[in-house]
Amino acid sequence: MTALQLAPGDALLIADVQNDFVTGSLHVPGGAEIVPVLNRYAAAFAARSLPVFATRDWHPPDHCSFRARGGPWPIHCVAGTDGAAFVPGFVLPAGTTIVSKATAADREAYSAFSGTELDALLRSRAIRRLFVGGLATDYCVLQTALDARRLGYAVFVLADGIRAVNVAPDDGDRAIAAMRQAGAETIEFDAIEERTRGAG
Ligand code: ZN
């Protein structure tokens, strides 16, 4: 496995670790398993004073992605509800920037860059490499990683910190292939931990 030295210019983005996606109406298989892994990544970035961003799906009650409006999904992540809250046990470092997305009723947004200030926020902090984990591999993680590549960021997908919805059984695998095709690399936590030990 490639050893990675985290450095200034790196940022962590964790997508949608919210109750509805972990235990609620749109729970992703295995979603709870990645929460402690993501906590370790977040702590590793915070220990180096590197920025952490956490996105949340933050819908109005009549969002176009809901079945009642002809969309594909059950009602989920309605802004301000328990379902939209980050899961208990998901530990975000002090100073984490929260990015809310898909906040307009008539617009879906899987990518964290879609209709948000994320690109400007990253550029203002001179971020060049974006490490992306969270939920779900085949939606928010995929579209965020692809947009980040289009915008010129180096992208590392946290292979041990993502889980897929898998509406079709291989959606997650196909998403990972598409991200790699776009130039993203996949890593696991050990790639970072190695250097952590070395750096003391
Ligand atoms: Zn949604």
Side-chain angles (χ1 to χ4, degrees):
M1 185 173 296
T2 314
L4 256 178
Q5 180 84 57
L6 293 180
D10 293 346
L12 175 66
L13 184 142
I14 302 176
D16 297 7
V17 183
Q18 295 165 269
N19 286 321
D20 276 343
F21 290 133
V22 175
T23 55
S25 61
L26 192 41
H27 63 273
V28 179
E33 297 166 7
I34 63 171
V35 174
V37 180
L38 294 170
N39 286 343
R40 293 166 73 201
Y41 278 107
F45 276 72
R48 293 163 177 77
S49 301
L50 298 173
V52 176
F53 296 82
T55 71
R56 59 185 183 185
D57 222 17
W58 202 245
H59 296 317
D62 59 343
H63 191 249
C64 60
S65 73
F66 300 163
R67 284 177 187 144
R69 289 205 52 202
W73 306 121
I75 292 172
H76 65 277
C77 297
V78 173
T81 64
D82 271 359
F86 292 123
V87 302
F90 179 41
V91 182
L92 290 171
T96 296
T97 301
I98 308 297
V99 177
S100 302
K101 62 183 177 59
T103 58
D106 293 321
R107 191 165 164 208
E108 178 60 298
Y110 293 131
S111 167
F113 291 96
S114 179
T116 72
E117 298 297 310
L118 180 60
D119 185 42
L121 289 169
L122 295 176
R123 290 185 194 285
S124 74
R125 301 182 73 160
I127 299 305
R128 294 178 299 277
R129 302 197 303 181
L130 192 62
F131 293 70
V132 182
L135 301 169
T137 309
D138 32 0
Y139 294 92
C140 187
V141 171
L142 170 64
Q143 298 303 331
T144 298
L146 294 180
D147 273 352
R149 291 295 301 136
R150 286 183 201 108
L151 291 163
Y153 298 95
V155 174
F156 296 87
V157 177
L158 313 180
D160 51 354
I162 55 176
R163 287 294 185 275
V165 177
N166 282 332
V167 170
D170 60 347
D171 279 356
D173 290 341
R174 289 195 303 156
I176 288 170
M179 290 187 280
R180 285 181 173 146
Q181 182 75 28
E185 294 182 45
T186 52
I187 63 160
E188 297 192 355
F189 188 79
D190 287 350
I192 291 169
E193 194 180 38
E194 257 173 52
R195 293 302 181 100
T196 307
R197 290 199 198 101

